[in-house]
Amino acid sequence: HRYSTLKSVANSVKRQHEEKSPEKSGGRTVILYNGTNADDTQDPTRLGLHAASNFKVLSPLDQITKDEVRQAAKHLGLPNWNAAASPCLRSRLAMGVMATSDHLKAVEKAEEFVRRVLVLDESRNVRVRMLAGGKAMVELDDRALGTSDLLAENGMEDLLISELGFQSWGVRGFKTGSVAAMPTGDKSLDSVKVNL
């Protein structure tokens, strides 16, 4: 939906420009760009890449890594050069979990709670994943993982289960693209705590 909406907005602006200045429009083409980098293209969970391709969205950064993008942003003096990735909320829902307004709002509210309780700024990776069976999985980067007990102490269970309708929740290390499934002995997702 994102790219079809952007394309509609771009075409509307183009039409308005053509109506105001038909002599200057000269067959201009609207081009949409995204921030996809080389690391993103290796992640099979990024369904938005297929949509971008279908809408002929250009990815000028797709030949350099995420680290190289950050280095360039720092060199240019951009204030957000070290901000954690911020993909759309849909990426927090496991395959097969419906992307409803309630699900997306629940994930967003849970992530806001985690950031507030653990005092995590935008440079820290935090995800609350909605997995099959109503399970919530809180993912924290290595620096924050040791503070995860504060979540239970500050009412995470009440928020997730009583207020947001999850069935259970757990905590594990952050790993990009990990939305697909709960860990099953996968050592790369070390330190899983499950709360029922």
Side-chain angles (χ1 to χ4, degrees):
H1 296 331
R2 175 188 315 165
Y3 291 122
S4 60
T5 300
L6 288 172
K7 195 66 132 179
S8 295
V9 169
N11 286 334
S12 175
V13 169
K14 180 181 175 185
R15 279 191 302 277
Q16 289 174 6
H17 181 72
E18 288 171 347
E19 289 170 6
K20 289 180 182 176
S21 307
E23 69 285 349
K24 292 183 181 178
S25 62
R28 289 185 180 166
T29 302
V30 175
I31 301 172
L32 297 178
Y33 295 93
N34 67 18
T36 299
N37 60 62
D39 296 332
D40 297 334
T41 63
Q42 303 306 307
D43 183 350
T45 66
R46 295 186 180 268
L47 301 177
L49 296 180
H50 299 291
S53 177
N54 291 340
F55 283 91
K56 296 180 178 39
V57 175
L58 300 181
S59 304
L61 305 175
D62 68 356
Q63 299 300 309
I64 61 175
T65 67
K66 192 169 294 189
D67 285 339
E68 292 169 325
V69 171
R70 288 184 188 283
Q71 289 170 11
K74 183 178 182 182
H75 177 76
L76 292 170
L78 299 179
N80 62 344
W81 72 270
N82 197 30
S86 182
C88 72
L89 287 173
R90 175 60 180 108
S91 70
R92 311 305 203 274
L93 308 180
M95 298 292 196
V97 174
M98 295 290 294
T100 67
S101 177
D102 287 343
H103 287 166
L104 296 173
K105 286 177 186 173
V107 166
E108 182 176 39
K109 188 168 187 174
E111 285 187 7
E112 289 170 356
F113 178 86
V114 171
R115 283 196 183 278
R116 186 175 68 253
V117 167
L118 299 182
V119 192
L120 301 175
D121 65 23
E122 67 279 350
S123 70
R124 307 294 280 280
N125 283 305
V126 173
R127 299 287 186 278
V128 175
R129 310 279 190 188
M130 182 177 285
L131 306 175
K135 295 177 181 143
M137 185 56 67
V138 178
E139 295 183 356
L140 302 170
D141 66 19
D142 291 340
R143 296 179 293 169
L145 203 51
T147 64
S148 65
D149 289 343
L150 291 171
L151 295 174
E153 293 170 15
N154 285 281
M156 186 73 176
E157 186 161 331
D158 285 341
L159 173 74
L160 289 174
I161 295 174
S162 301
E163 188 177 334
L164 300 178
F166 288 96
Q167 302 301 309
S168 63
W169 67 285
V171 177
R172 67 182 178 195
F174 170 78
K175 183 176 183 222
T176 188
S178 65
V179 73
M182 285 284 289
T184 54
D186 183 346
K187 300 289 185 213
S188 68
L189 300 174
D190 47 7
S191 176
V192 176
K193 293 189 228 174
V194 177
N195 303 284
L196 301 173

